[in-house]
Amino acid sequence: SAAVRIRSLRRSYGDVTALDGVDLDFAAGTFTAVMGPSGSGKSTLLQCAAGLDRPTSGTVAVDGTDLAGLSERRLTLLRRERIGFVFQAFNLLPSLTAAQNVALPLRLAGRHPSRAAVRQALARVGLAERAGHRPTQLSGGQQQRVALARALITRPAVLFGDEPTGALDTTTSREVLALLRELVDREGQTTVMVTHDPVAAAHADRVVFLVDGRLHGELAGASAERVA
Ligand code: ADP
Ligand code: ADP
């Protein structure tokens, strides 16, 4: 079944057409990489799929819920509870510890997370021992793993990553990708990642290509390394 179902998706900004009719499903429990030249619409696709941006026309359904039918308030709630997002720049709050950063989504949802829940979320990304560290006391790879724990603590239907390894060196990047792969394999975490890096894309089950706002073919993950 599709964790995300996208139909006839168009998004324009004035006379710029960022997405020009995209039909795409992200199957539950799979890892998809989205590739394409700069300006091809990758970020816009991710933002629309994650409910961070509203399409000009077409539909996006997450877990069977059509996002267009939701009020801003309901959309915000769905985003908080059902969608995880990680960014190239990690976007951790610098004044908070790793544990406090990870606890944040549950706090925003009005829940009071237990230490055990926060510790377990950090353990899932191999950082149980860093709970009390602040972002500046952590390496880039550790910061991205904290961001992942924060994105996953609500057990979202889909994890989105916009160039999640773009700020990391090769070795660290591979560690984070191996972790993403493991979360898909071990927990069935549906994952969708935009990347420029064919080595990163090769960790996915499937690679879809965007050109000028349209889908332009796809490959199985392990073959992506050969095309780029
Ligand atoms: P990619 O992520 O593949 O680099 P984007 O989705 O960022 O592509 O952008 C696709 C197109 O839409 C580009 O031409 C870009 O300039 C344009 N675009 C994206 N966001 C905006 C915006 N907020 N306002 C105007 N144009 C935008
Ligand atoms: P509070 O504001 O309730 O005193 P803190 O600001 O100390 O909580 O921590 C915020 C969140 O992080 C809480 O959900 C807490 O359970 C969790 N937390 C804090 N320190 C740790 C730790 N060392 N290990 C695991 N979880 C922690």
Side-chain angles (χ1 to χ4, degrees):
S1 64
V4 183
R5 186 183 162 93
I6 296 167
R7 290 293 177 272
S8 309
L9 177 60
R10 292 179 45 88
R11 178 63 166 112
S12 359
Y13 302 98
D15 52 13
V16 175
T17 302
L19 293 174
D20 193 13
V22 172
D23 294 292
L24 191 57
D25 283 352
F26 299 127
T30 64
F31 186 1
T32 307
V34 180
M35 299 190 81
S38 182
S40 59
K42 303 182 297 296
S43 288
T44 304
L45 176 67
L46 223 59
Q47 304 256 325
C48 287
L52 291 164
D53 189 12
R54 295 270 196 186
T56 303
S57 62
T59 58
V60 174
V62 173
D63 233 5
T65 302
D66 182 358
L67 302 190
L70 301 178
S71 63
E72 282 306 320
R73 192 187 125 71
R74 297 295 297 268
L75 184 61
T76 301
L77 288 178
L78 178 136
R79 235 177 14 232
R80 270 190 200 152
E81 309 248 317
R82 307 301 298 140
I83 288 168
F85 215 111
V86 290
F87 305 89
Q88 179 168 349
F90 320 137
N91 295 8
L92 298 175
L93 297 183
S95 61
L96 302 184
T97 64
Q100 290 167 337
N101 268 286
V102 169
L104 207 54
L106 293 179
R107 296 196 155 228
L108 288 172
R111 290 186 260 165
H112 193 87
S114 67
R115 279 187 165 248
V118 173
R119 180 162 279 275
Q120 194 210 8
L122 282 165
R124 283 165 82 194
V125 299
L127 278 184
E129 277 70 54
R130 297 284 186 276
H133 288 57
R134 285 178 210 287
T136 53
Q137 300 172 304
L138 298 171
S139 70
Q142 289 172 335
Q143 289 182 59
Q144 192 60 300
R145 286 193 278 153
V146 173
L148 265 174
R150 180 178 62 181
L152 295 175
I153 196 166
T154 59
R155 302 269 170 184
V158 199
L159 171 70
F160 292 102
D162 197 347
E163 298 271 2
T165 58
L168 304 175
D169 63 49
T170 308
T171 307
T172 311
S173 168
R174 281 177 196 237
E175 285 167 13
V176 168
L177 289 160
L179 174 61
L180 287 172
R181 185 69 250 176
E182 190 187 324
L183 290 164
V184 179
D185 292 339
R186 197 179 62 205
E187 304 182 12
Q189 177 63 57
T190 309
T191 302
V192 180
M193 162 184 77
V194 163
T195 184
H196 278 111
D197 176 7
V199 176
H203 286 74
D205 301 308
R206 176 188 180 209
V207 189
V208 299
F209 296 90
L210 272 181
V211 177
D212 291 339
R214 293 178 195 218
L215 281 181
H216 211 265
E218 65 174 85
L219 285 170
S223 19
E225 225 166 327
R226 271 178 266 132
V227 255

